Amino acid sequence: ETGVTQTPRHLVMGMTNKKSLKCEQHLGHNAMYWYKQSAKKPLELMFVYSLEERVENNSVPSRFSPECPNSSHLFLHLHTLQPEDSALYLCASSHGRANYNEQFFGPGTRLTVL
Amino acid sequence: AQSVTQLGSHVSVSEGALVLLRCNYSSSVPPYLFWYVQYPNQGLQLLLKYTTGATLVKGINGFEAEFKKSETSFHLTKPSAHMSDAAEYFCAVSDRDKIIFGKGTRLHILP
């Protein structure tokens, strides 16, 4: 595998379910990101991890819980979601967290909350 | 805080015609500027970026963009559109230690 991979690609869940999204990067990067992409809205930065420490949490509801066990893996744990949480969730990574570094994106997980 | 405005959520051009996607930004400091492209069912991919130096930046797939400080613009162009250019394009600006994305412009190529 190369680049940034995300699993699953599609997920349908009820509001009472618990699920996790997985992201893996094979680029040797040390910063990883979760974004939410909704129709007709800009990409929303959710979380940033740098050197496996969470360095940014953009007022994301607690029903979203990130985890970064090592520099190559990033998880987003989901529980008691709402229908408005349905969106494409994108993972990205970069070499260092500086704002001039290119971010490499995974293909996303399309989440539908019923 | 920095912000990005992309004029036109949808743009249609004929195959072979000039592509022009507009991006204006607000920034209190010299910005870093980016264009990303998203093809269907894929993540975003960097087309080009401006950090310092030459204001005309060339990217992949024949795209280029020009940083115009006086107009706070970073418009994306391609001389001749190809069917494979149909995608969504995102302009982005640096904001301290993160990047702020615009809402995107979907480019349609007419045969």
Side-chain angles (χ1 to χ4, degrees):
Chain A
E1 289 276 18
T2 58
V4 181
T5 58
Q6 291 187 243
T7 55
R9 294 293 308 276
H10 300 271
L11 178 62
V12 179
M13 58 188 289
M15 289 191 285
T16 58
N17 292 158
K18 289 184 179 181
K19 297 286 185 183
S20 296
L21 310 185
K22 179 182 176 182
C23 174
E24 186 172 359
Q25 59 94 3
H26 309 267
L27 301 167
H29 291 163
N30 54 17
M32 297 187 76
Y33 312 77
W34 279 117
Y35 287 89
K36 177 182 179 183
Q37 186 177 29
S38 306
K40 300 182 181 179
K41 293 177 69 174
L43 245 64
E44 299 173 57
L45 179 62
M46 300 175 72
F47 301 104
V48 181
Y49 277 81
S50 178
L51 299 172
E52 302 160 36
E53 286 190 32
R54 190 191 312 179
V55 295
E56 185 142 353
N57 176 347
N58 277 346
S59 303
V60 179
S62 60
R63 56 186 184 267
F64 294 91
S65 174
E67 178 191 2
C68 187
N70 55 62
S71 60
S72 298
H73 294 85
L74 185 65
F75 294 89
L76 188 62
H77 304 299
L78 316 171
H79 65 98
T80 60
L81 294 191
Q82 304 298 310
E84 61 264 28
D85 297 322
S86 298
L88 182 68
Y89 289 84
L90 292 166
C91 173
S93 69
S94 65
H95 183 68
R97 202 184 153 213
N99 57 7
Y100 51 79
N101 290 327
E102 175 183 358
Q103 292 184 22
F104 290 77
F105 285 80
T109 295
R110 174 70 62 188
L111 174 66
T112 303
V113 181
L114 301 177
Chain B
Q2 328 298 36
S3 66
V4 177
T5 302
Q6 292 185 241
L7 187 61
S9 58
H10 291 265
V11 169
S12 295
V13 302
S14 298
E15 191 175 17
L18 171 71
V19 175
L20 171 61
L21 303 183
R22 299 179 187 274
C23 173
N24 289 88
Y25 67 90
S26 69
S27 176
S28 56
V29 296
Y32 301 127
L33 296 158
F34 309 80
W35 276 100
Y36 281 82
V37 61
Q38 185 178 28
Y39 298 103
N41 301 313
Q42 295 187 28
L44 279 69
Q45 177 186 5
L46 183 70
L47 270 180
L48 50 82
K49 69 177 181 181
Y50 169 78
T51 52
T52 58
T55 56
L56 182 62
V57 182
K58 295 187 184 299
I60 61 172
N61 301 338
F63 284 93
E64 61 183 36
E66 187 170 10
F67 169 57
K68 291 188 176 180
K69 184 178 179 181
S70 61
E71 298 177 9
T72 60
S73 69
F74 191 57
H75 302 329
L76 181 71
T77 60
K78 181 174 179 177
S80 176
H82 192 273
M83 295 301 290
S84 61
D85 295 326
E88 189 153 21
Y89 292 79
F90 295 88
C91 183
V93 64
S94 56
D95 181 7
R96 290 177 291 176
D97 53 6
K98 59 179 179 283
I99 296 173
I100 306 298
F101 288 88
K103 290 186 178 182
T105 297
R106 186 166 296 280
L107 177 63
H108 304 270
I109 310 297
L110 307 172

